[in-house]
Amino acid sequence: MAWTGQDERQELELSLLSHFVIEAILTFDSLPSLQIEIVANQDLETFMKTNIWTPLGMNSTTFRPWSRPDLEEKFVELAWRGRDGKLTKGKNPYGPAVDCCGGVGLFSTPRDQARLLAALLKDGHGVMSKASLDELMSPQTEDPSHFLSIVCGTKRAHLGQTWPEGSNGDFGLSSSINATDFPGRRAANSANWQGMPGIHAVSLYTHHHRL
C-alpha cells in the first residue's frame, strides 16, 4: 500500500485499530480483517507482509502455510490431554482457514513472534505510530466487569489461566490488560494474548510506562 503521508498513515492506523475492539469483545474474528482488506485494497496476507512482517524480518509468518512447504515441514504436532491425564495426537480444529482472519489462522515461529514483541517495546519500531501503539495498549471499556466475568470466570480455563485469583483487568485492542501486578511474573498495565495451542505472549508496555 502506498502511504501518502504520515498523517494519513496515522489516521488509517487509528481507524483500523478501533475495529479490533469488536474482535476482542465479540470474538468476531473476520470482520476487522475484512475492513483492513477493503480500506487497503489488499488481502490481509499482502497487507501484513508489506507493512509488518517484511520490515521486521518476520520471514516465517503467514496465513497460508500450504503455500510455504518450508514452513509446513516444521509444524509442531498438537496433542490433547484427556480427563484421565493421557495425551492423544490432535490437529488444528480451525484450519486451514478459507480467509485471512486476524484472530485465527496465523502461523508463525517463536523467533518471528519475538521480533514483533521487540518492535512493540521500541515504540512501534517504524511499523506503527506511537499514538496507535498507545491506543493498542490502553483499556477500552468503561466497565470491566464483562471482561472479568469472561476471562476470570466462564472462560478462565483458556483465557485466564495465567491470571491469579482476584485479578482485575480490562479488554485492550485485541488483548487483555491486567490492572494490577502479577507478583514475580507481570507488571500492572501489561498486554497479554494467547494462541490456540496454549502459547502466551506478554508485552510490558502501556502509555503510562514501558519496561
Side-chain angles (χ1 to χ4, degrees):
M1 181 176 184
W3 300 107
T4 57
Q6 182 61 33
D7 290 341
E8 288 82 355
R9 174 171 180 158
Q10 182 170 320
E11 182 179 350
L12 174 60
E13 286 177 349
L14 291 174
S15 174
L16 296 176
L17 284 171
S18 68
H19 297 300
F20 281 111
V21 176
I22 301 173
E23 178 184 58
I25 296 178
L26 302 179
T27 63
F28 194 16
D29 297 319
S30 61
L31 180 57
S33 305
L34 291 174
Q35 289 169 324
I36 291 174
E37 293 182 336
I38 292 171
V39 172
N41 195 29
Q42 295 176 314
D43 62 75
L44 191 62
E45 174 91 7
T46 302
F47 179 86
M48 298 286 279
K49 184 176 182 179
T50 301
N51 296 290
I52 299 178
W53 304 338
T54 297
L56 294 181
M58 298 171 60
N59 301 318
S60 298
T61 299
T62 182
F63 289 105
R64 300 164 176 156
W66 57 87
S67 68
R68 295 282 306 273
D70 59 316
L71 297 182
E72 280 195 305
E73 66 182 17
K74 298 177 182 178
F75 278 0
V76 175
E77 290 188 350
L78 298 179
W80 307 108
R81 188 179 298 279
R83 294 184 181 277
D84 58 2
K86 297 180 179 180
L87 294 176
T88 57
K89 187 174 181 179
K91 63 179 181 178
N92 178 6
Y94 302 112
V98 177
D99 300 309
C100 300
C101 299
V104 62
L106 182 65
F107 293 77
S108 191
T109 63
R111 184 183 298 275
D112 276 10
Q113 189 173 35
R115 292 180 186 274
L116 176 60
L117 293 176
L120 296 180
L121 293 173
K122 295 178 181 178
D123 294 335
H125 201 55
V127 299
M128 180 181 293
S129 68
K130 179 66 162 56
S132 293
L133 184 58
D134 286 345
E135 190 67 22
L136 183 73
M137 298 296 182
S138 297
Q140 297 294 321
T141 70
E142 295 182 357
D143 179 6
S145 61
H146 175 65
F147 168 85
L148 296 173
S149 70
I150 298 296
V151 173
C152 297
T154 57
K155 301 297 183 181
R156 180 179 179 82
H158 172 53
L159 299 176
Q161 58 184 273
T162 65
W163 286 57
E165 292 286 347
S167 298
N168 289 312
D170 198 358
F171 284 114
L173 286 172
S174 199
S175 69
S176 56
I177 298 176
N178 52 295
T180 54
D181 287 340
F182 293 178
R185 297 192 294 114
R186 191 183 306 173
N189 302 312
S190 298
N192 162 254
W193 64 97
Q194 56 279 327
M196 188 274 295
I199 57 174
H200 288 263
V202 178
S203 184
L204 303 178
Y205 180 108
T206 71
H207 61 297
H208 300 298
H209 69 276
R210 177 163 64 95
L211 297 179

